[in-house]
């Protein structure tokens, strides 16, 4: 009996609620056509959930920061204006490379090194120092073979093994490759491009390995240099390292600015391309 009364009471209450909802007055803030001017009191009366809007704004801002990070202009020399040149050193790393790094650090001159992969093991500290000192570091094959005569598999591993060695020594995403002996072919270029490498050749070759005399190397470089040049040197020769202070002094006096190879091309070196010098 008590249950039935209770159910009836509930049913009555439900009916009252339904009727109340049906006959409820219209929502106080009906959509207003934007074509008509908004009556001022309505605008002022619109309730604003401040917290909700603030949180939306924060979420929106953080999302924007993720999508569009602030772009920082690279702080490099402007080679469109300056007479830039790039010193490049091949066939290291060797113990003598440290002496060259001391000279470059003292004179605050950046350079580009093309390393033989098989020599990186045991000289990791030198490679780490190159990176820390702001030099560019590239790939010069695993064992300095002429790549044009190799079968596809060997060709690929000459490149990739050196990439691994460079990466393990702290060189991130190496993109510069100097082919041993300057030997290139379509298949070598294709293999290099597929592994993310651009080929960096040179425009000044003082034949330092042949001269074996510091003063002669300095003369050969300063005689042939011109704006935009890439200069080929080898840090495996003491005479070449001995020539570097003189090369730096003379070329500074002539108004040249030393840059890395990527800087010489405004940081836009493209895989699969071949570079000889900065175009005039
Ligand atoms: Ni070489």
């Amino acid at each position: 009996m008590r249950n039935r009364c209770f159910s009836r009471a509930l049913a009555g209450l439900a009916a009252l609620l339904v009727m109340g909802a049906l006959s409820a007055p219209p929502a106080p803030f009906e959509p207003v056509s934007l074509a008509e001017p908004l009556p001022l009191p309505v605008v002022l009366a619109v309730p604003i959930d401040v917290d909700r809007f603030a949180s939306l704004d924060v979420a929106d801002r953080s999302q924007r920061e993720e999508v569009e990070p602030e772009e920082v202009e690279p702080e490099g020399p402007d080679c469109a204006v300056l007479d830039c040149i790039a010193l490049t050193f091949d066939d290291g790393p060797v113990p003598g490379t440290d002496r060259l790094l001391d000279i470059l650090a003292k004179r605050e001159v950046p350079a580009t090194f093309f390393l033989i992969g098989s020599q990186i093991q045991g000289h990791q500290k030198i490679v780490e120092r190159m990176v820390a000192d702001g030099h560019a570091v590239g790939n010069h094959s695993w064992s300095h073979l002429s790549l044009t005569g190799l079968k596809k598999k060997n060709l690929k591993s000459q490149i990739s093994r050196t990439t691994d060695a460079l990466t393990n020594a702290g060189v991130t995403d190496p993109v510069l490759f100097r082919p041993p002996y300057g030997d290139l072919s379509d298949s070598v270029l294709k293999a290099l491009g597929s592994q993310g490498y651009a080929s960096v050749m040179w425009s000044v070759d003082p034949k330092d390995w042949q001269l074996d005399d510091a003063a002669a190397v300095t003369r050969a470089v300063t005689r042939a240099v011109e704006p935009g040049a890439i200069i080929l040197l080898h840090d495996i020769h003491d005479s070449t390292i001995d020539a570097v202070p003189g090369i730096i002094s003379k070329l500074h006096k002539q108004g040249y600015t030393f840059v890395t190879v990527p800087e010489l091309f405004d940081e836009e070196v493209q895989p699969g391309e071949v570079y000889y010098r900065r175009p005039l």
Side-chain angles (χ1 to χ4, degrees):
M1 195 60 181
R2 200 187 289 168
N3 275 349
R4 196 185 294 164
C5 281
F6 183 64
S7 320
R8 244 186 239 159
L10 266 185
L13 187 60
L16 275 175
L17 282 175
V18 169
M19 278 168 67
L22 289 176
S23 62
F29 309 113
E30 301 234 336
V32 179
S33 163
L34 287 178
E36 294 163 21
L38 295 173
L40 192 58
V42 172
V43 174
L44 288 176
V46 169
I48 296 174
D49 183 343
V50 177
D51 287 340
R52 183 169 163 265
F53 275 73
S55 66
L56 272 181
D57 187 44
V58 168
D60 185 44
R61 230 179 297 149
S62 65
Q63 203 174 12
R64 216 166 34 230
E65 275 161 16
E66 259 174 48
V67 176
E68 294 172 29
E70 242 179 73
E71 278 190 26
V72 181
E73 284 286 315
E75 282 179 38
D78 185 355
C79 293
V81 178
L82 300 164
D83 286 341
C84 292
I85 46 172
L87 293 178
T88 65
F89 296 94
D90 288 12
D91 298 353
V94 288
T97 307
D98 252 335
R99 185 163 71 92
L100 172 59
L101 289 171
D102 289 341
I103 295 167
L104 295 173
K106 195 174 165 198
R107 308 296 291 270
E108 296 184 353
V109 165
T112 302
F113 290 86
F114 291 98
L115 307 184
I116 296 174
S118 60
Q119 287 168 203
I120 292 175
Q121 203 177 20
H123 296 114
Q124 289 226 357
K125 286 264 176 284
I126 295 179
V127 184
E128 285 165 15
R129 184 181 171 193
M130 287 172 183
V131 176
D133 286 0
H135 302 296
V137 183
N139 184 327
H140 194 38
S141 83
W142 180 257
S143 52
H144 210 273
L145 297 174
S146 172
L147 301 186
T148 50
L150 297 182
K151 293 223 166 76
K152 208 170 176 180
K153 199 177 153 195
N154 289 344
L155 167 60
K156 283 187 168 180
S157 85
Q158 280 284 324
I159 305 166
S160 63
R161 285 181 79 186
T162 307
T163 304
D164 294 343
L166 288 169
T167 309
N168 288 337
V171 182
T172 46
D173 296 330
V175 71
L176 311 174
F177 188 93
R178 174 158 285 159
Y181 314 103
D183 288 348
L184 278 178
S185 65
D186 284 347
S187 54
V188 171
L189 278 176
K190 205 174 152 191
L192 287 172
S194 73
Q195 294 195 42
Y197 282 107
S199 299
V200 181
M201 311 301 272
W202 55 87
S203 62
V204 172
D205 178 5
K207 299 210 177 339
D208 59 334
W209 53 274
Q210 219 170 26
L211 292 173
D212 201 24
D213 173 88
V217 173
T218 304
R219 266 198 310 276
V221 170
T222 51
R223 212 177 281 158
V225 76
E226 54 185 350
I230 297 177
I231 299 163
L232 171 65
L233 294 163
H234 300 81
D235 51 315
I236 50 171
H237 301 292
D238 282 341
S239 50
T240 295
I241 298 176
D242 292 341
V244 171
I247 292 172
I248 293 171
S249 296
K250 292 209 164 138
L251 297 187
H252 264 159
K253 261 187 212 155
Q254 290 178 34
Y256 286 104
T257 300
F258 294 94
V259 297
T260 63
V261 166
E263 286 171 336
L264 191 65
F265 298 100
D266 306 324
E267 305 284 347
E268 287 178 0
V269 172
Q270 299 297 327
E273 297 292 319
V274 186
Y275 296 86
Y276 290 88
R277 50 160 300 146
R278 182 185 169 94
L280 288 173

